[in-house]
Amino acid sequence: MNKWLKHIGVAIALLFSVSVFAHDAPKVGDTNEVSNGQIWAQLKAGEDGYTTSKSEFHGQAINTYDLRVLDLRSDILAPAMMTALFGMIIIFVLFIKVNGISKLHGGFSGKLVYRWSKFDVSIHWLGAIPCLLLILTGLTLLAGRFFFQPYIGEGFWAGLVNAAKQIHDIMAIPFMIGWALMTVLWAKNQLPKMYDLKWMMVVGGYINFGPFKGKHPDAGFANAGEKLWFWTFAAFGLVISASGMLLLFPNLFEPSRTLSLVALVLHSVSAIIITAFSIVHIFMATIMSEGGMECMVSGYCDETWASQHHNLWFDEIKENGTLKYKD
């Protein structure tokens, strides 16, 4: 009997406790309830708090960065990325339709001149293939929600943006390796010369009409346009790599929220510039310059192409005895 009385007493005590807690708990709309807004207001006013975070920025409970950065990303950077890619493609297609390509005078000679080593060709593609994938996936991540998402299903969009994020993160490492190797190993042939100014003034001899027609300015191993592309790639590739490391490994660098946003903006701006230059580079190598693509496929170029587009370099290797033909 005593055992049952004890059980009943415990049950009554539990019911009493629950009723007390229920009575004292703040109701929805209760003026005594402390809302999140009040908590943030107190913290902003300088109230002390406690956190178990070990981060360097654990004391910064409220983000104080300028939210206009987000508007910059959606209103300016996203359309700029779309324009850099598709706008430059449209411009080049129209230009080639009006101007035509730069053909080899007298056609191909059939003699292939050694220009790039197999290692050079390899590091070119080590940087180029990831660069193309980064441009496409970066376009999806930066501008996709504004230009693609409204026209496709939610499920497909979720899969697309997830795949883009994974590919973008994976391709970042080989891109940075290729960028570093090309920048260090190729810089010596990319130094500006006085004759590069004349090359720029006549647009490299690629214009087939007006006063520019038939002009073939001097060029060394790299012409002025290639040098401009190289130093643009080197400089903005550095910004992309540095900012990308902060974004890719936040636990390693522990950047502040403000620094993360700055890195995101710099990353986007640099990507837009490299995208525009990449389109020009691709068109020049594959379509605009007849015989140009062969250089980065086999490492050899046609003798006519060498003498027409890089005459100073071709003359130099003939004089110093380093001219080599493909067997």
Side-chain angles (χ1 to χ4, degrees), residues 69-70 72-73 77 247 259-272:
V69 173
L70 302 179
L72 170 67
R73 188 170 185 264
L77 297 181
L247 298 172
L259 181 58
S260 294
L261 277 179
V262 171
L264 183 62
V265 171
L266 292 176
H267 197 79
S268 301
V269 170
S270 299
I272 290 167

Side-chain angles (χ1 to χ4, degrees), residues 48-198:
D48 292 332
Y50 173 77
T51 178
T52 59
S53 169
K54 303 298 182 182
S55 170
E56 178 184 353
F57 306 100
H58 70 267
Q60 184 178 345
I62 301 175
N63 297 328
T64 57
Y65 51 79
D66 194 340
L67 292 177
R68 288 177 296 180
V69 173
L70 302 179
D71 295 330
L72 170 67
R73 188 170 185 264
S74 61
D75 299 342
I76 298 178
L77 297 181
M81 186 66 175
M82 292 288 290
T83 302
L85 180 60
F86 297 108
M88 290 303 297
I89 291 175
I90 293 172
I91 289 173
F92 249 93
V93 169
L94 293 176
F95 175 76
I96 291 176
K97 186 175 181 61
V98 173
N99 180 80
I101 69 172
S102 176
K103 288 189 169 292
L104 295 179
H105 300 314
F108 290 93
S109 67
K111 297 179 181 180
L112 295 179
V113 177
Y114 177 82
R115 181 168 170 82
W116 295 100
S117 69
K118 291 181 179 180
F119 179 69
D120 286 323
V121 173
S122 298
I123 63 174
H124 170 267
W125 292 111
L126 176 63
I129 294 175
C131 183
L132 291 175
L133 292 174
L134 289 172
I135 288 173
L136 295 176
T137 54
L139 177 70
T140 302
L141 297 172
L142 176 62
R145 75 184 71 174
F146 311 110
F147 296 96
F148 304 147
Q149 186 179 8
Y151 308 103
I152 59 180
E154 288 297 323
F156 182 78
W157 166 249
L160 178 63
V161 75
N162 179 65
K165 176 65 167 62
Q166 299 303 319
I167 295 172
H168 202 81
D169 290 349
I170 293 172
M171 288 294 104
I173 303 303
F175 168 80
M176 286 188 281
I177 295 174
W179 163 80
L181 289 172
M182 284 187 281
T183 300
V184 172
L185 298 177
W186 295 357
K188 63 182 180 180
N189 287 324
Q190 308 295 330
L191 299 177
K193 304 290 184 179
M194 287 302 298
Y195 52 74
D196 291 329
L197 293 175
K198 185 177 180 181

Side-chain angles (χ1 to χ4, degrees), residues 101-104 107-109 111-113 115-116 206 226 283-306 308-310:
I101 69 172
S102 176
K103 288 189 169 292
L104 295 179
F108 290 93
S109 67
K111 297 179 181 180
L112 295 179
V113 177
R115 181 168 170 82
W116 295 100
Y206 288 100
E226 291 168 336
F283 264 91
M284 293 299 295
T286 60
I287 300 175
M288 191 65 194
S289 178
E290 186 178 36
M293 186 62 184
E294 180 67 25
C295 296
M296 277 304 170
V297 174
S298 66
Y300 290 83
C301 64
D302 189 85
E303 186 179 56
T304 303
W305 185 90
Q308 182 171 315
H309 293 290
H310 298 273

